[in-house]
Amino acid sequence: MLKFAKMWVILFALSGVMAGCSDDDDNVTPPAPQEKPVLKPSFENPFKVASAGGDFTLTFTVENPVVGGVLSASTGAEWIETLRTDDLSVMSAILTNKAYEERRAKIEVVYSYGKEKTAYSVEVIQEGLREPEVKPEFEMPVMVEAGGGDVELKFMVRNDAGKGRLSAASGVDWLSFKSHETDDRILVASVLPNETDAERRVEVTVSYKHEGGQIDIPVEIIQKKQMPFFMIEILETTSDGVRARVTPRDPEMFYVASAVEKCMIDGYESEERFLEDEIKYLHSMSDMFGQSMLEILDSIGARGTQEISITTIPSQMECYFFVYGATYEENPKVLTPLFKEVFTTK
């Protein structure tokens, strides 16, 4: 009887222990499931690149990394080369963009761990070449002397690697263009002499042709009119004469200067006819005074800019001070039209 009671006590105790174990298991929290890894860039996305390109490294961090995780990258763009990974970095070489438009591409970055993976897409934006900037470094309009010659037109060129070329066509027979021998930024305008008494002008288009297109710059060229053969300035009039300054266009040209009553020249049917008689008058002076023609010319002629005084003119007479170019020889010939200026003695 006692043995039986003891066994029941033991069984009861065991049952209590087993019941206690069951209660503890129900209170244990199971481990949380592993969160998926997340790729985070250490750079701005989109990733912007200059047109020159170059070598670049894209660095990432991984939230919730997994032991043994591996980074890989790929792209479909031919202008992104040598794509490789190292730990949490993607190395790439981006070629130069030779176009004037930007270009875009994707780099797909994958973090693989076991049979799982997480991905991140990087947008690469490469800017295009900057449009060249071309500006004239000379004043406009371009003023050219009547004598013509070569005029250098220099331009400021930016954002171009020396591949552009300047050119122009004038459309007139007195102006042409050629390249400078050593400087591509200079266009040479070759201008013929203006032998007229009016200025002449033309607007031309100077073109700068580069890899991406063409830039046109309008340029106005004005050529001054030819200075007359002679300029006469009346400096002073007196009761018996006049003092005047004569400026020849060609300082080496010989010229004859004198003064006569205005009605004497106006009475001729043409100034050419007056000059014919003027030469005859010079010959008559040579015969009258027994002097050579050169001696006569020396007494009434000159070269270069001169102040010339003529006296023995009656007072209060309207006259012409006149000048014409002539050959300096025994039988002189007229070389220019007649130039004259009115004055009245006091």
Side-chain angles (χ1 to χ4, degrees), residues 118-131:
T118 185
Y120 185 87
S121 182
V122 179
E123 183 180 18
V124 180
I125 302 176
Q126 186 177 23
E127 68 180 15
L129 290 173
R130 294 177 62 187
E131 183 81 11

Side-chain angles (χ1 to χ4, degrees), residues 178-240:
K178 59 185 178 181
S179 299
H180 193 270
E181 292 182 357
T182 59
D183 196 334
D184 291 337
R185 298 171 300 168
I186 296 177
L187 190 65
V188 180
S190 297
V191 185
L192 297 179
N194 183 3
E195 297 179 351
T196 71
D197 59 357
E199 72 175 20
R200 51 190 182 185
R201 62 178 63 204
V202 63
E203 184 172 294
V204 301
T205 299
V206 176
S207 298
Y208 184 79
K209 297 179 181 178
H210 54 90
E211 286 186 345
Q214 177 174 304
I215 299 173
D216 293 332
I217 306 103
V219 176
E220 184 179 20
I221 297 177
I222 300 176
Q223 187 176 22
K224 297 177 183 179
K225 64 182 180 180
Q226 186 68 277
M227 174 185 167
F229 283 104
F230 300 101
M231 295 181 66
I232 302 171
E233 182 183 0
I234 302 298
L235 301 176
E236 181 186 16
T237 57
T238 63
S239 60
D240 65 346

Side-chain angles (χ1 to χ4, degrees), residues 114-156:
K115 295 181 179 180
E116 301 293 330
K117 62 182 179 180
T118 185
Y120 185 87
S121 182
V122 179
E123 183 180 18
V124 180
I125 302 176
Q126 186 177 23
E127 68 180 15
L129 290 173
R130 294 177 62 187
E131 183 81 11
E133 181 183 0
V134 183
K135 290 184 179 180
E137 291 189 337
F138 50 86
E139 292 185 1
M140 288 202 282
V142 179
M143 301 301 298
V144 183
E145 295 298 326
D150 286 348
V151 180
E152 293 186 352
L153 307 179
K154 187 173 182 179
F155 292 82
M156 179 275 295

Side-chain angles (χ1 to χ4, degrees), residues 14-83:
L14 289 172
S15 65
V17 172
M18 292 179 67
C21 288
S22 177
D23 291 341
D24 291 341
D25 289 342
D26 291 339
N27 294 328
V28 174
T29 303
Q34 172 72 44
E35 291 188 25
K36 290 186 177 181
V38 178
L39 279 173
K40 290 196 172 183
S42 300
F43 53 88
E44 290 187 2
N45 189 12
F47 184 68
K48 296 183 178 180
V49 181
S51 60
D55 295 332
F56 299 91
T57 299
L58 308 178
T59 303
F60 292 84
T61 59
V62 181
E63 288 186 358
N64 311 316
V66 176
V67 176
V70 178
L71 200 68
S72 62
S74 63
T75 183
E78 295 181 353
W79 47 275
I80 301 178
E81 294 185 336
T82 62
L83 203 60

Side-chain angles (χ1 to χ4, degrees), residues 88-104:
L88 293 178
S89 298
V90 177
M91 279 72 75
S92 64
I94 298 179
L95 303 180
T96 300
N97 186 0
K98 296 182 179 180
Y100 287 89
E101 299 79 26
E102 70 175 21
R103 56 187 179 184
R104 297 170 179 251

